[in-house]
């Protein structure tokens, strides 16, 4: 195998060093991080390859099909749902597919290789006065290809949408090595959205190699609004009113009392309780902020907390890493996990209460925030933490959290993932989630990837 790959790609692109394999063994799924902590890591890849271009990706996939070798694409490795657990497979690390085009200012588009990282794209766009608007908390540790493959959604989705709203064209290599490209177009009516098959396919239907994305001028001004509520239900109502208005917020987040306590832990003088943070940018942002404050039935809060959120919006990456390394507040056997689900406004209240109640019986601490809003519904993002007596207990606790959240979400009429994807951790519930479409997906997989 190694000789085949070296002949194909050159020795420098084929890595079977212990460090190379260890750094591609798993993603950020807490269960996998726990296994590292326990000294029994999940089984890693047999080899890591780093192709230089789409042609080399195609060569690897052709070889993989001929030799029946499983392959796993790897972006930043920041998935949190067991998206990466190669277990003897060949990992295709896309880091060398890192070119970025000039911004097409006339159409507001940029084309980036799958391996382009969040910071590289942000800096490149900022030089010409643009931004992508896709800002997941993990932006510093994830890639363009990974965002597309997981159907990711950034924290500014109220204005910019999810990654699926930003993709205007893509290139991918299908199993067996066939290269497919979609024309870049603002919209089309040329049959089903075939590129859409790759968006959210999590590496199962091909390797995304290049993506053309919409970009936006960097906003010049921002107006922040913080409101407080006595009960979460009133805050949810406020989010609904805002999402259904024409005020165009950039960011909307509503924390329940427990999540607000976490957010406010560095602000001991702030009153506790449900907290809504939102921002408006661009033209008339002050005016739109004022109108939102009038429209939503809440009490004025401290707008500086919104600025604090902007400054610290990606701190969760380091905090999560610390807890899972046994160095955080939850002690040596601490466990933290996050599970995001979604529902229409009609079911959201029951969904929130049902999942929260179930998780509260199984976790030391459960907080929830509404992290993404739409005219027709929202995402509920649950964060659970427990101090356990052993890592084995932590594993069991995490398994229970998933079971409770998936079961109760399905029963309440919600959808089991808003943006983290399926991976292996949600695999047991996806058939029930998709219903009849599960069989269609299975047939598509079989047709595209017969082996
Ligand atoms: C602390 C933290 C915060 C996070 N916050 C957010 C958030 O705000 N929003 C959000 O949406 N997600 C978030 N995530 C999850 C994760 O960052 C996203 O799923 C991200 O899109 C994954 O990108 P990646 O490049 O790291 O992909 P990887 O983790 O490398 O891969 C993810 C999956 O996609 C496949 N894949 C990767 N690249 C390709 C490719 N080029 N072609 C085909 N398949 C590919 C992999 O095989 C795997 O199945 C967070 C994760 C962490 C750890």
């Amino acid at each position: 195998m190694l000789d085949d790959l070296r002949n194909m790609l050159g020795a420098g692109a084929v890595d079977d060093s212990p460090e190379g394999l260890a750094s591609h063994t798993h993603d950020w799924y807490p269960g996998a991080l726990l296994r590292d902590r326990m000294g029994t890591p999940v089984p890693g890849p047999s080899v890591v390859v780093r192709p230089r271009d789409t042609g080399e990706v195609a060569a690897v996939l052709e070889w993989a099909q001929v030799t029946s070798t499983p392959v796993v694409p790897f972006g930043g490795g920041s998935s949190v749902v067991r998206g990466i657990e190669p277990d003897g497979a060949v990992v295709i690390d896309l880091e060398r597919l890192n070119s970025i085009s000039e911004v097409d200012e006339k159409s507001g588009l940029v084309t980036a290789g799958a391996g382009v990282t969040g910071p590289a794209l942000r800096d490149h766009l900022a030089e010409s006065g643009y931004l992508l608007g896709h800002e997941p908390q993990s932006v510093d540790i994830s890639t363009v290809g990974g965002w597309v493959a997981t159907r990711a959604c950034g924290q500014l989705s109220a204005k910019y949408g999810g990654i699926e709203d930003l993709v205007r064209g893509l290139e991918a290599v299908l199993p067996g090595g066939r290269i497919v490209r979609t024309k870049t177009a603002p919209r089309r009516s040329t049959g089903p959205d075939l590129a859409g098959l790759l968006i959210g396919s999590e590496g199962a239907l091909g390797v995304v190699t290049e993506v053309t994305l919409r970009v936006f001028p960097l906003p010049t001004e921002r107006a922040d609004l913080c409101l407080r509520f006595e009960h979460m239900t009133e805050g949810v109502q406020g989010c609904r009113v805002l999402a259904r208005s024409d005020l165009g917020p950039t960011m909307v987040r509503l924390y329940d009392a427990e999540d607000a306590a976490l957010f406010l832990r560095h602000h001991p003088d702030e009153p506790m309780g449900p907290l809504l943070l939102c921002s408006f940018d661009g033209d008339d942002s002050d005016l739109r902020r004022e109108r939102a404050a009038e429209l939503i039935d809440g009490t004025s809060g401290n707008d500086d907390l919104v600025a604090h959120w902007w400054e610290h919006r990606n701190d969760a990456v380091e905090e999560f890493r610390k807890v899972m390394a046994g160095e955080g507040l939850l002690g040596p056997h601490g466990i933290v996990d996050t599970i995001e689900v979604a529902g229409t406004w009609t079911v959201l209240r029951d969904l929130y209460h049902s999942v929260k109640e179930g998780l509260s019986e199984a976790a030391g601490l459960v907080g929830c925030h509404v992290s993404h809003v739409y005219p027709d519904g929202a995402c509920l993002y649950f964060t659970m933490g427990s101090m356990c007596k052993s890592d084995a207990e932590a594993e069991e606790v995490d398994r229970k959290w998933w079971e409770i959240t998936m079961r109760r979400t399905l029963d309440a009429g919600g959808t089991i993932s808003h943006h983290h994807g399926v991976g292996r951790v949600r695999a047991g519930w996806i058939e029930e989630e998709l219903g009849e479409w599960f069989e269609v997906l299975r047939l598509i997989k079989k047709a595209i990837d017969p082996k």
Side-chain angles (χ1 to χ4, degrees):
M1 176 200 285
L2 288 179
D3 286 346
D4 282 356
L5 291 167
R6 285 188 181 121
N7 288 338
M8 205 185 307
L9 306 173
V14 180
D15 183 359
D16 64 343
S17 68
E19 311 80 57
L21 300 182
S23 59
H24 293 82
T25 292
H26 58 70
D27 55 15
W28 284 59
Y29 169 59
L33 298 171
L34 264 182
R35 291 281 300 270
D36 282 352
R37 204 163 82 186
M38 293 159 91
T40 53
V42 294
S46 52
V47 61
V48 178
V49 296
R50 295 186 178 86
R52 270 165 291 246
D53 55 33
T54 302
E56 288 194 351
V57 174
V60 174
L61 290 194
E62 187 183 353
W63 166 86
Q65 191 169 74
V66 170
T67 57
S68 298
T69 307
V71 294
V72 175
F74 189 102
S78 72
S79 159
V80 281
V81 291
R82 293 183 72 192
I84 293 183
E85 243 181 61
D87 194 3
V90 171
V91 160
I92 306 179
D93 186 327
L94 295 146
E95 69 178 16
R96 287 185 175 175
L97 272 61
N98 58 4
S99 67
I100 315 178
S101 75
E102 291 303 308
V103 174
D104 169 354
E105 302 210 33
K106 212 169 205 174
S107 304
L109 296 170
V110 72
T111 298
V116 169
T117 61
L121 186 58
R122 182 178 51 213
D123 294 349
H124 178 87
L125 292 176
E127 275 171 23
S128 1
Y130 287 89
L131 88 170
L132 176 63
H134 177 71
E135 279 223 21
Q137 269 186 336
S138 54
V139 65
D140 291 338
I141 54 168
S142 55
T143 61
V144 167
W147 299 338
V148 172
T150 55
R151 215 177 152 82
C153 194
Q155 298 172 96
L156 313 183
S157 65
K159 176 170 178 180
Y160 301 103
I163 196 72
E164 70 279 10
D165 298 308
L166 301 172
V167 174
R168 280 296 171 270
L170 66 75
E171 176 194 79
V173 184
L174 303 184
R178 182 194 292 250
I179 299 171
V180 289
R181 292 188 185 91
T182 55
K183 264 189 201 168
T184 300
R187 186 179 189 277
R188 57 172 67 82
S189 173
T190 52
D193 179 11
L194 295 173
L197 272 179
L198 270 298
I199 304 177
S201 62
E202 300 183 25
L205 299 178
V207 178
V208 175
T209 45
E210 192 177 85
V211 188
T212 299
L213 296 153
R214 293 180 73 190
V215 294
F216 304 85
L218 281 165
T220 46
E221 51 190 279
R222 193 183 83 215
D224 296 334
L225 173 65
C226 172
L227 292 172
R228 294 183 165 280
F229 305 90
E230 200 169 328
H231 303 291
M232 182 65 171
T233 326
E234 294 152 12
V236 170
Q237 166 72 355
C239 285
R240 190 179 74 81
V241 167
L242 186 55
R244 293 181 66 85
S245 74
D246 61 357
L247 297 176
T250 304
M251 177 281 285
V252 180
R253 284 170 97 81
L254 169 73
Y255 298 86
D256 74 1
E258 291 75 16
D259 230 22
L262 268 180
F263 175 72
L264 293 171
R265 67 191 180 285
H266 303 305
H267 302 267
D269 298 335
E270 284 288 333
M272 293 293 141
L275 188 67
L276 174 69
L277 309 181
C278 49
S279 293
F280 302 81
D281 63 31
D283 291 347
D284 300 331
S285 46
D286 283 327
L287 200 67
R288 286 183 285 126
R289 179 210 169 277
E290 288 313 311
R291 282 183 51 207
E294 285 161 18
L295 203 61
I296 301 171
D297 194 8
T299 314
S300 289
N302 175 2
D303 291 345
D304 290 345
L305 291 175
V306 189
H308 175 86
W309 177 84
W310 279 92
E311 202 181 323
H312 295 279
R313 64 192 186 278
N314 300 330
D315 287 2
V317 174
E318 183 51 19
E319 286 163 6
F320 181 50
R321 192 201 61 73
K322 268 195 182 154
V323 171
M324 293 314 302
E327 298 161 6
L329 285 176
L330 296 176
H333 303 295
I335 168 104
V336 67
D337 207 344
T338 58
I339 308 182
E340 26 61 62
V341 299
T344 60
W345 294 116
T346 315
V347 306
L348 206 74
R349 190 185 150 165
D350 288 349
L351 176 59
Y352 167 74
H353 286 296
S354 172
V355 175
K356 183 89 194 269
E357 182 193 76
L359 287 172
S360 298
E361 286 165 17
L365 178 106
V366 189
C368 176
H369 63 272
V370 171
S371 58
H372 303 268
V373 299
Y374 305 90
D376 47 347
C379 168
L380 294 176
Y381 188 105
F382 292 92
T383 301
M384 296 73 67
S386 277
M387 290 170 104
C388 298
K389 291 193 192 71
S390 67
D391 289 337
E393 184 192 331
E395 254 187 334
E396 181 55 20
V397 162
D398 190 43
R399 199 187 53 72
K400 273 198 194 127
W401 293 343
W402 277 97
E403 244 174 56
I404 291 166
T405 310
M406 296 297 96
R407 185 68 269 140
R408 290 186 177 223
T409 298
L410 287 164
D411 290 348
T415 195
I416 61 171
S417 177
H418 176 269
H419 57 265
H420 284 164
V422 181
R424 293 188 191 201
V425 77
R426 284 187 169 97
W429 291 278
I430 197 66
E431 188 167 354
E432 188 174 346
E433 164 78 21
L434 295 181
E436 291 300 316
W437 283 103
F438 182 77
E439 180 57 13
V440 178
L441 184 59
R442 207 184 57 77
L443 290 171
I444 291 172
K445 167 74 179 164
K446 206 171 161 198
I448 293 184
D449 187 12
K451 287 201 174 175

